[in-house]
């Protein structure tokens, strides 16, 4: 069956790095991307000469894959510039695993960076409205997520306070992460008082706009065993795309994460109950609720009630976004790659004050567009292989 | 059939031309499945499509209000479910907030560029 075709544990993440989280003045997006790539290779104990596949996309350069290939002098055997929004990098990992396990390449570098906080001062989005959507002047992408949230509230009674619980959990995790951009305390009163940007979503329902770069190095598990750091196996992956513009989403309350998750679980041979953590793309608070439902952690419609009492916060039963997520740690336009880096750090036991006691299995989930592209990846320690 | 007449154009240009002529059209398959935005073939199965004119009646499926810089009023953005069974993103011109289920009537802004439809509240609230 197709879902089980993924080369389970054939590949591993051997290196991971972030760079310039928060403010990184004086660096271009390309330089930040390259720096993260070099740091991830150093983390793995590999050099540029070991890289024969490059997977990247840059925020404003549609041919950024070529720019990074030239800059680092890597990727001649294959460059993938696939861009499905913030899910791109989990798609990159999926492709890289297939290509490495098939023997076309040995080592892939997946990297991304953006200086959009210091350079543009606003979210740089690749979204462009169609002739059907653009004339209405809707603020996007937030409008798309707000529409889904309005429907979730209508159908399931989800409340602003439940959305707020997602924001508070992310902030509590960020307070344990020295790298996170927003670490000051946040309480429900402050959350509820924040300016509404696109009802029901307010300023504190939105991901940050920061600078930041990340990279991971992927190679065969056999090769990764001999490298500097403990390998983190790629156990499963799956993807699903349902639409581009929000009006075409088949059901505003059910995302493609339902299928992408099922595919990743089938490939890995693990289910939601086995996961020690979830690292998901929280562009807006409603994302966390939708994805936890669709990825099988609670029934459809129960996401709000699932998160409301601190279940996903530090000390809760299901740690979610242990770095602080896009809401409180880092969001340089596309966040997906940071889900992988944080899972690697947790599985290796490198997460410092926020380190989880049990950290063998992680579900990483990327989202692109307006709930359009969904990609799930399951990472695990060597004990889980 | 209220078919846009200019067969040498692609479906998008045909749709826009019909709006300029005062008609809000959508497409449907022989089985009656409504398709929007206009396409060359039905998504998923490639079924042939024919044009039909919308009644312009629908209701709010999902809605968000986006405050603007004063003194501009908030912009009300909605996904509208048309009675014919297709959905589109649009804006609602209304003095008061609108709820999911609110009945709507389409207004054709045929002189705008690009031409488009927006909606005004009309009549009762549906179940949603």
């Amino acid at each position: 069956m197709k879902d089980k075709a993924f080369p389970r544990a054939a590949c591993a993440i051997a290196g991971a790095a972030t760079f310039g989280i928060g403010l990184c003045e004086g660096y271009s997006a390309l330089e930040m991307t390259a720096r993260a790539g070099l740091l991830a290779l150093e983390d793995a104990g590999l050099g540029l000469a070991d890289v024969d596949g490059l997977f990247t996309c840059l925020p404003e350069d549609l041919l950024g894959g070529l720019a990074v290939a030239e800059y680092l002098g890597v990727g001649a055997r294959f460059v993938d510039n696939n861009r499905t929004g913030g899910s791109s990098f989990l798609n990159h990992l999926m492709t890289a695993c297939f290509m490495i396990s098939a023997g076309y390449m040995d080592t892939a570098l997946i990297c991304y960076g953006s200086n959009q906080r210091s350079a543009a001062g606003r979210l740089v989005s690749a979204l462009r409205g169609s002739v059907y959507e653009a004339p209405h002047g809707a603020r996007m992408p937030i409008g798309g997520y707000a529409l889904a949230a309005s429907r979730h509230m209508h159908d399931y009674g989800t409340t602003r306070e439940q959305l707020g619980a997602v924001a508070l959990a992310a902030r509590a995790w960020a307070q344990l992460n020295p790298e996170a951009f927003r670490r000051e305390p946040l309480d429900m009163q402050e959350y509820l008082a924040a300016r509404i940007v696109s009802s029901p979503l307010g300023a504190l329902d939105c991901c940050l706009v920061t600078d930041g770069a990340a990279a991971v190095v992927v190679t065969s598990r056999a090769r990764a065993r001999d490298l500097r750091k403990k390998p983190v196996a790629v156990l499963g992956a799956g993807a699903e795309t349902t639409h581009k513009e929000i009006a075409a989403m088949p059901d505003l309350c059910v995302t493609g994460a339902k299928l992408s998750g099922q595919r990743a679980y089938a490939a890995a041979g693990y289910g939601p109950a086995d996961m020690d953590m979830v690292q998901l793309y929280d562009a807006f608070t409603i994302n966390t609720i939708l994805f936890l439902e669709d990825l099988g952690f609670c029934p459809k419609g129960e996401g709000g009630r699932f998160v409301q009492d601190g279940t996903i916060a530090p000390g809760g039963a299901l740690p979610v976004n242990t770095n602080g997520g896009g809401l409180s740690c880092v969001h340089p336009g596309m966040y997906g790659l940071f889900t992988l880096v944080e899972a690697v750090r947790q599985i290796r036991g490198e997460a410092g004050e926020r380190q989880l006691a049990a950290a063998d299995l992680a579900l990483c989930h990327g989202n692109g567009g307006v709930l359009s592209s969904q990609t799930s990846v399951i990472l695990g320690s060597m004990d889980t292989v | 059939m209220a078919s846009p007449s200019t067969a040498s154009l692609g479906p998008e240009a045909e749709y826009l031309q019909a709006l300029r002529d005062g008609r809000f059209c959508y497409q449907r398959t022989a089985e009656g499945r409504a398709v929007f935005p206009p396409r060359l073939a039905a998504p998923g199965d490639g079924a042939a499509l024919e044009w039909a004119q919308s009644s312009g009646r629908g209701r709010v499926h999902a809605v968000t209000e986006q405050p603007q810089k004063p003194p501009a009023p908030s912009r009300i953005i909605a996904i509208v479910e048309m009675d014919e069974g297709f959905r589109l993103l649009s804006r609602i011109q209304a003095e008061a907030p609108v709820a999911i289920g609110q009945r709507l009537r389409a207004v054709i802004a045929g002189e705008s560029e690009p031409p488009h439809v927006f909606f005004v509240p009309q009549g009762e609230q549906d179940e949603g």
Side-chain angles (χ1 to χ4, degrees), chain A residues 229-276:
Chain A
K229 291 286 180 74
K230 253 192 308 192
V232 172
V234 187
L235 297 170
E240 173 73 7
T241 298
T242 46
H243 60 282
K244 184 192 175 207
E245 294 193 341
I246 195 67
M249 186 166 175
D251 181 338
L252 286 176
C253 293
V254 181
T255 73
K258 192 167 180 207
L259 283 173
S260 69
Q262 279 173 18
R263 289 173 184 145
Y265 292 135
Y270 287 109
D274 301 311
M275 296 299 127
D276 294 315

Side-chain angles (χ1 to χ4, degrees), chain A residues 278-367:
Chain A
V278 182
Q279 312 290 353
L280 57 79
Y281 193 155
D282 55 346
F284 300 92
T285 50
I286 187 65
N287 295 35
T288 303
I289 288 173
L290 287 170
F291 296 154
L292 288 174
E293 293 171 356
D294 293 334
L295 295 168
F297 294 96
C298 63
K300 179 49 65 186
E302 291 301 310
R305 285 170 283 279
F306 183 77
V307 302
Q308 71 185 1
D309 298 317
T311 305
I312 63 172
L318 182 69
V320 174
N321 291 352
T322 54
N323 58 350
L327 290 169
S328 279
C329 178
V330 57
H331 191 277
M334 293 191 276
Y335 173 78
L337 191 46
F338 294 86
T339 67
L340 299 173
V341 174
E342 178 63 10
V344 166
R345 287 175 173 169
Q346 287 284 356
I347 291 169
R348 284 178 179 172
E350 295 175 346
E353 205 185 336
R354 67 186 189 282
Q355 180 64 48
L356 303 172
D360 284 302
L361 279 167
L363 179 63
C364 300
H365 184 78
N367 162 69

Side-chain angles (χ1 to χ4, degrees), chain B residues 13-24:
Chain B
E14 281 193 276
Y15 169 77
L16 296 173
Q17 190 53 50
L19 285 178
R20 288 186 193 101
D21 297 341
R23 297 193 311 277
F24 173 28

Side-chain angles (χ1 to χ4, degrees), chain A residues 147 247, chain B residues 24 56-62 77-83 85-92 102 104-106 118-119:
Chain A
L147 287 164
Chain B
F24 173 28
R57 312 282 162 172
R59 60 179 183 171
V60 176
H61 178 71
I77 299 293
I79 294 176
V80 179
E81 183 157 276
M82 302 305 298
D83 289 355
F86 66 95
R87 290 180 190 163
L88 73 163
L89 186 117
S90 189
R91 70 179 185 278
I92 301 174
Q102 170 69 51
L104 301 167
R105 176 175 59 84
F118 63 91
F119 288 82

Side-chain angles (χ1 to χ4, degrees), chain B residues 70-125:
Chain B
S74 286
R75 187 164 289 159
I76 302 172
I77 299 293
I79 294 176
V80 179
E81 183 157 276
M82 302 305 298
D83 289 355
E84 292 86 5
F86 66 95
R87 290 180 190 163
L88 73 163
L89 186 117
S90 189
R91 70 179 185 278
I92 301 174
Q93 217 164 67
E95 300 302 317
V98 295
I100 287 175
Q102 170 69 51
R103 295 289 304 167
L104 301 167
R105 176 175 59 84
V107 178
I108 299 173
E111 308 290 308
S112 300
E113 198 50 50
H116 57 276
V117 291
F118 63 91
F119 288 82
V120 293
Q122 186 163 71
E124 298 302 303
Q125 180 105 353

